[in-house]
Each structure stands twice: as structure tokens, then as C-alpha cells.
Amino acid sequence: MREEENNRSSKSEENKLNAKSLLRKRWVLPAVYLVAAAGVLSAVFVMQGGDESAAPEEGVEVTDPNFTGDMNPYGEDAVAVTASSEVIKMPVVDEEEVTVVGYFYDVNGSPEEQQEALVYYNNTYFPNKGMDFAHVDGESFDAAAALSGTVVKAEKDSLLGYVVEISHEDGVVTHYHSLESVEVEEGATVEQGDILGRAGRNSYNADAGIHVHFEIRYDGVAVNPNDVFQQPIDSVRDIADEQEKEEPKEEPKEEEQPAEEEDGKEDGTSDEEEVTPEENNDEGEDQEEQSELG
């Protein structure tokens, strides 16, 4: 018995000595710490994998409470930004099939440009308040809405042919004259590019032949369509404001206009300003001088 006890005590003392010698080595303690840490992490992963309630359910979106995303700084739902306005297009279906036969009268244009932008009617020249388009082959063609809007007029005019007027946002109205027929009715809503009618002739601008007359106005002020094509509708207001500032103010005339001229403007040209070329002014002065002498 004593021998067995002595053997056990001697073995325990050897184990203690081996443990002490082992602990004296530098790599032992870090290794122990690493093993312990690995054991702890393994236990955590096993616990998470076994607990299905810790994982989000299928189809449930997990969001970070600190992530604002589509919300404003106050936590309310963000309001969607209004889509950009339409770009103004030419009042035709195929731009390559038409040509310009009448230009907008620019008060700041050259004398040659102003001469080309005059409409001769009833022995009088009037400034063109829009643009005139004709087919390259002189044929009729479809007139299309340059912008989406609401039809406010669709009727036949004895002087201008069939006319269509469409109201748009921000006080903009587009005018389509010299149509031989119309495909829309007053009060209808049209989309950009919808067919409005067919090009035809009218009595006001007979020299243009088969054509479509197009005007674009902001609060009644005519704007050069060529300046706003491929531009958003907001550009019409800006150009109209600049146009009013640059347009020279006419001095009041001393003599009243003859009654026949006023009657002539009631047939559809009431908004047109009469313009007479220089050579016509000279002839008029000679006639006045002859009448005075007579």
C-alpha cells in the first residue's frame, strides 16, 4: 500500500513539475487563450444556427432604423418629384416630309427676314404670328398636337379654315389654322402627337397653298415657335416675358384708321398688326398728295 501511495505521489509531483515547466514556455499561454476563444465562438455559432427564431422570416425586409432611404430627415414619406415637362414638338407627324413656307415676324429681325414674315391679305401686309408648314411635294398631311392638353376650340372659320386651339399648363395655348378637316372635338383631351386634322388651304394666306399654320402663345403673347421647339413648356413663358420687354412701344397715331380696315380685322385678323412695306408707304403718300391737290 505504501509503495502504491509513494508511486502516486511521485507521479503527481512529476505532473506538477511538467506543468510548471510547460507554463514557463512563452507560447503556451497565448495558445491556451486562442483555444478558449475558439471554443466560445464555436458555441455562439452553434446556438445561433440552432435557434431559427433569430433569423428573419422569408419575405420580411430588415431595415436599418438609422437609414433614411426614401424618407426625409423628419421621418415622413418623401413626396415624389413631378416629372419633367414635355418637350415642344413640331405640329406634324413626320418632320422630314414638311418644309417651312412662312416664318414668325421678329420685330428685332433684319429687313429681309421681316419681309419674308409678312402675310399679304386684302391688299394689306400683316406680320405672321406663327409658322407655316407645307409638304415637300405640295400634298396634304396630318397635323399633330405639339403638346398634350385640352381642346378649347375646334371649328371652321371662313377666313382661316378649320382651326383647333389646345390649352396647356402654365397659360400656354397652341393654335392650328388652315386645316381642311378636324379629328377632335372641343373639350377633348389630347396627347402629344395625336392627329388633329389634315392640312388645307385658307383665304387669309392663300399664297402658302396647302399648309398648316401653327402658333404658340403665353397669356395671349405670340412666341416664335422656332425658339421653343425641343424645349420644355416653361421656356414659352420666359421667352414671352423677354419679348414683351424688348418689343418697342408704338406711338399713338394722330389719325384714326378707316372704318373698312377695322371691319377687315373683325373677320379673323383682329390680333394682327398691319404692316406696310416702304414702297407701299410711298405710293400711299403720293395718293394722299394727289387727293389733297384734287
Side-chain angles (χ1 to χ4, degrees):
M1 295 294 293
R2 291 182 178 179
E3 291 180 358
E4 291 179 359
E5 291 178 358
N6 292 331
N7 290 333
R8 291 177 181 174
S9 61
S10 61
K11 288 181 179 180
S12 62
E13 289 178 358
E14 288 179 1
N15 292 335
K16 291 179 180 180
L17 292 174
N18 291 333
K20 290 181 179 180
S21 62
L22 186 63
L23 292 174
R24 289 176 182 175
K25 296 181 180 181
R26 297 180 178 178
W27 57 269
V28 174
L29 290 177
V32 173
Y33 291 145
L34 289 175
V35 172
V40 173
L41 291 175
S42 299
V44 171
F45 289 144
V46 171
M47 294 177 63
Q48 287 184 348
D51 188 5
E52 296 181 355
S53 63
E57 297 179 1
E58 184 178 357
V60 177
E61 182 180 359
V62 179
T63 57
D64 186 353
N66 296 324
F67 177 71
T68 56
D70 295 333
M71 301 178 64
N72 61 21
Y74 300 100
E76 299 177 357
D77 294 339
V79 179
V81 179
T82 304
S84 58
S85 299
E86 286 181 329
V87 171
I88 303 171
K89 295 184 178 181
M90 292 177 62
V92 296
V93 176
D94 190 350
E95 298 180 7
E96 296 181 356
E97 293 184 352
V98 299
T99 183
V100 179
V101 294
Y103 293 89
F104 180 85
Y105 185 90
D106 187 357
V107 294
N108 297 319
S110 64
E112 293 78 10
E113 293 173 340
Q114 292 180 346
Q115 184 72 25
E116 292 180 356
L118 294 177
V119 177
Y120 185 72
Y121 169 72
N122 196 21
N123 297 324
T124 308
Y125 289 91
F126 296 91
N128 195 347
K129 296 298 184 179
M131 294 181 67
D132 300 295
F133 300 91
H135 196 277
V136 292
D137 296 330
E139 303 174 354
S140 182
F141 58 94
D142 290 328
L147 288 166
S148 301
T150 303
V151 178
V152 295
K153 179 183 289 188
E155 61 186 24
K156 184 176 182 180
D157 186 273
S158 59
L159 182 64
L160 305 176
Y162 279 98
V163 299
V164 174
E165 295 182 9
I166 303 177
S167 176
H168 313 281
E169 59 183 79
D170 202 21
V172 175
V173 179
T174 51
H175 300 243
Y176 310 79
H177 299 171
S178 190
L179 303 177
E180 68 175 9
S181 62
V182 292
E183 303 294 335
V184 294
E185 297 179 354
E186 183 176 341
T189 301
V190 296
E191 299 294 332
Q192 186 179 55
D194 285 353
I195 304 300
L196 304 179
R198 298 279 294 176
R201 302 176 184 269
N202 64 16
S203 301
Y204 176 64
N205 191 2
D207 294 339
I210 300 175
H211 72 286
V212 170
H213 177 77
F214 175 71
E215 295 182 8
I216 183 166
R217 296 172 177 261
Y218 171 74
D219 284 348
V221 179
V223 172
N224 187 350
N226 206 36
D227 291 341
V228 296
F229 284 142
Q230 303 304 321
Q231 300 294 327
I233 194 172
D234 297 340
S235 63
V236 178
R237 176 188 58 193
D238 299 334
I239 294 177
D241 292 340
E242 293 178 1
Q243 209 166 262
E244 282 189 324
K245 294 178 182 178
E246 295 177 358
E247 189 172 355
K249 295 182 179 180
E250 296 184 357
E251 296 181 358
K253 298 181 180 180
E254 296 180 359
E255 298 179 0
E256 294 183 358
Q257 294 182 350
E260 52 241 353
E261 290 185 7
E262 294 180 358
D263 295 339
K265 292 185 179 182
E266 291 179 358
D267 57 6
T269 61
S270 58
D271 58 345
E272 304 292 349
E273 179 184 355
E274 181 179 333
V275 176
T276 305
E278 294 180 358
E279 56 269 17
N280 290 351
N281 287 338
D282 296 338
E283 294 177 359
E285 291 177 358
D286 294 338
Q287 292 177 0
E288 289 179 2
E289 292 178 358
Q290 293 177 3
S291 63
E292 289 177 359
L293 294 174

